[in-house]
């Protein structure tokens, strides 16, 4: 077997130029793909594409499965007829060389709300529309994570961004009656969030197909840990080392070194590896399957953590008092 050397560029889509305050999956993404092709490159590596939480970091996401809807291109929505050209802002002024995540997020949320309203109106007029069938198929195919994620985001937004552990106790603990009540109360918002996820993966898939057809492979990025305030932890708290109140017992980081005298305190909850081992690592299998559907190749971030995790007492402020605890990486892989 002959192994060929390859080269490419690492670029997160938010760094692409564009008129809406943040790079997205629209015309500039296709122009960058064309640049890679013209330059003889065959790899485009991206950082995580999940919905960002605290600090707008792609390594602090509300979900290990969902996509960041801020990356949806309004221009492509206009081309599909989900928005009108006059829906797009004419006089918005964003920084020329930096991303304005807060204003871009507000703008995209407003535009996606309009796109959903237009979609719902079209479906009411023609319930047999191809887009409706594609959306239904997407929801069924991704039901294992999409239902919980859409409910999580909708409930969070209904509470002005309050983290799930500060919700009403019965909903925070996912008691059946509380979940059913919230699903009934937020039906429209949940459907709209599912539609936004559909649009993200539809645009990403089209871009990936364009790149693949021209010899460019997409390298994704999978952070080993997830955020505490995420659909993943809220939905499956037994998969993490949490106390009886649902709060982390220990959190992730790395020990002191030449880079930092006090270590790095990341704050992510640690996996309950014994529980994961007991069901054959099903959560990880679903996560890996989703990643390998989304990307051609996947980079595992903090691979060291699959051998052992630096566990820090949750009440600490630095990583100094942590300790290495073995992780079953060999079994998992």
């Amino acid at each position: 077997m002959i192994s060929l050397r390859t080269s490419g560029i690492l670029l997160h889509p938010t760094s692409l130029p564009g008129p809406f305050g943040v790079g997205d999956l629209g015309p500039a993404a296709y122009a960058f793909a064309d640049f890679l092709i013209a330059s003889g490159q065959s790899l485009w590596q991206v950082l995580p594409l999940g919905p960002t939480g605290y600090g707008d970091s792609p390594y602090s996401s509300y979900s290990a499965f969902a996509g960041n809807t801020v990356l949806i291109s309004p221009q492509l929505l206009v081309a599909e007829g989900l928005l009108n050209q006059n829906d797009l802002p004419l006089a918005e002024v964003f920084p020329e060389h930096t991303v304005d995540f807060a204003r871009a997020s507000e703008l995209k949320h407003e535009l996606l709300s309009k796109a959903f309203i237009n979609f719902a109106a079209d479906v009411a007029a023609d319930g047999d529309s191809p887009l409706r069938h594609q959306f239904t198929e997407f929801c069924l195919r991704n039901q294992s994570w999409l239902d919980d994620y859409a409910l999580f985001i909708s409930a969070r937004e209904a509470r002005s961004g309050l983290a799930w552990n500060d919700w009403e106790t019965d909903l925070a603990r996912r008691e059946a009656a509380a979940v059913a009540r919230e699903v009934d109360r937020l039906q429209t918002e949940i459907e709209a969030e599912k539609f936004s996820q559909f649009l993200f993966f539809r645009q990403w898939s089209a871009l990936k197909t364009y790149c693949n057809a021209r010899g460019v492979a997409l390298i994704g990025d999978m952070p080993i840990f997830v955020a505490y305030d995420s659909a993943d932890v809220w939905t499956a708290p037994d998969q993490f080392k949490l106390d009886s109140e649902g709060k982390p017992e220990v959190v992730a980081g790395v020990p002191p070194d030449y880079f930092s005298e006090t270590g790095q305190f990341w704050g992510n909850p640690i996996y309950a590896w014994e529980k994961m081992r007991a069901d054959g690592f099903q959560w990880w299998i679903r996560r890996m399957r989703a990643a390998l559907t989304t990307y051609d190749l996947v980079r595992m971030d903090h691979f060291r953590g699959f051998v052992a995790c630096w566990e820090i007492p949750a009440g600490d402020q630095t990583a100094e008092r942590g300790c290495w605890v073995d992780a079953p990486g060999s079994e998992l892989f």
Side-chain angles (χ1 to χ4, degrees):
M1 179 179 178
I2 299 174
S3 179
L4 300 178
R5 293 183 64 185
T6 55
S7 63
I9 294 177
L10 167 62
L11 177 82
H12 195 266
T14 53
S15 294
L16 292 165
F20 305 110
V22 64
D24 58 35
L25 304 178
Y30 286 84
F32 181 70
D34 290 340
F35 163 74
L36 289 174
I37 296 159
S39 305
Q41 306 304 302
S42 56
L43 298 171
W44 179 356
Q45 182 178 1
V46 295
L47 300 172
L49 299 180
T52 53
Y54 176 76
D56 300 300
S57 168
Y59 292 92
S60 180
S61 177
Y62 291 134
S63 170
F65 298 86
N68 190 347
T69 55
V70 173
L71 291 171
I72 294 173
S73 165
Q75 291 156 305
L76 295 184
L77 296 183
V78 170
E80 288 191 274
L82 288 167
L83 291 177
N84 296 315
Q85 187 64 41
N86 58 12
D87 288 326
L88 305 187
L90 297 177
E92 285 287 336
V93 177
F94 288 99
E96 185 177 358
H97 299 295
T98 58
V99 171
D100 187 336
F101 281 108
R103 291 178 61 202
S105 297
E106 290 176 8
L107 172 63
K108 292 293 182 77
H109 188 274
E110 178 184 333
L111 293 177
L112 289 172
S113 295
K114 289 182 180 179
F116 177 70
I117 290 170
N118 292 336
F119 168 73
D122 288 343
V123 168
D126 178 13
D128 198 39
S129 71
L131 195 63
R132 175 65 193 183
H133 287 302
Q134 293 169 21
F135 174 50
T136 300
E137 181 183 345
F138 170 82
C139 291
L140 291 173
R141 189 170 63 250
N142 295 282
Q143 191 173 21
S144 63
W145 64 267
L146 183 61
D147 289 355
D148 286 322
Y149 174 73
L151 172 58
F152 170 81
I153 289 295
S154 299
R156 199 176 186 281
E157 290 182 353
R159 290 162 177 77
S160 302
L162 202 63
W164 68 264
N165 57 305
D166 291 322
W167 297 350
E168 306 91 307
T169 302
D170 56 354
L171 185 61
R173 296 187 176 183
R174 290 182 58 83
E175 294 179 9
V179 170
R181 179 192 69 226
E182 202 71 359
V183 168
D184 184 63
R185 185 173 77 94
L186 298 173
Q187 283 184 26
T188 301
E189 292 84 352
I190 291 170
E191 191 79 354
E193 187 57 44
K194 289 182 179 180
F195 186 66
S196 292
Q197 286 299 309
F198 165 68
L199 293 178
F200 169 84
F201 283 103
R202 178 181 171 85
Q203 290 193 2
W204 173 258
S205 179
L207 178 62
K208 181 177 181 294
T209 298
Y210 183 89
C211 290
N212 290 169
R214 290 157 179 79
V216 174
L218 293 166
I219 305 177
D221 199 305
M222 181 186 291
I224 181 174
F225 298 116
V226 300
Y228 174 61
D229 184 21
S230 67
D232 308 292
V233 178
W234 177 61
T235 302
D238 63 313
Q239 302 286 292
F240 301 87
K241 293 184 177 181
L242 308 180
D243 63 21
S244 59
E245 296 182 354
K247 297 178 180 179
E249 295 177 333
V250 289
V251 295
V254 292
D257 55 19
Y258 289 111
F259 180 78
S260 172
E261 290 184 359
T262 59
Q264 297 179 47
F265 185 94
W266 296 340
N268 308 80
I270 301 287
Y271 296 112
W273 287 114
E274 291 303 317
K275 293 281 184 67
M276 289 185 156
R277 177 189 279 118
D279 72 0
F281 304 103
Q282 289 303 306
W283 184 85
W284 274 102
I285 290 172
R286 290 195 302 273
R287 187 184 185 193
M288 185 63 73
R289 181 176 290 125
L292 290 173
T293 300
T294 304
Y295 311 104
D296 298 303
L297 301 164
V298 178
R299 169 186 176 267
M300 307 293 290
D301 181 64
H302 192 55
F303 201 79
R304 170 73 174 87
F306 291 107
V307 178
C309 297
W310 185 253
E311 296 191 358
I312 308 164
D316 286 13
Q317 299 299 313
T318 73
E320 294 170 279
R321 293 200 313 131
C323 62
W324 289 112
V325 177
D326 289 344
S330 295
E331 289 182 60
L332 170 64
F333 287 107

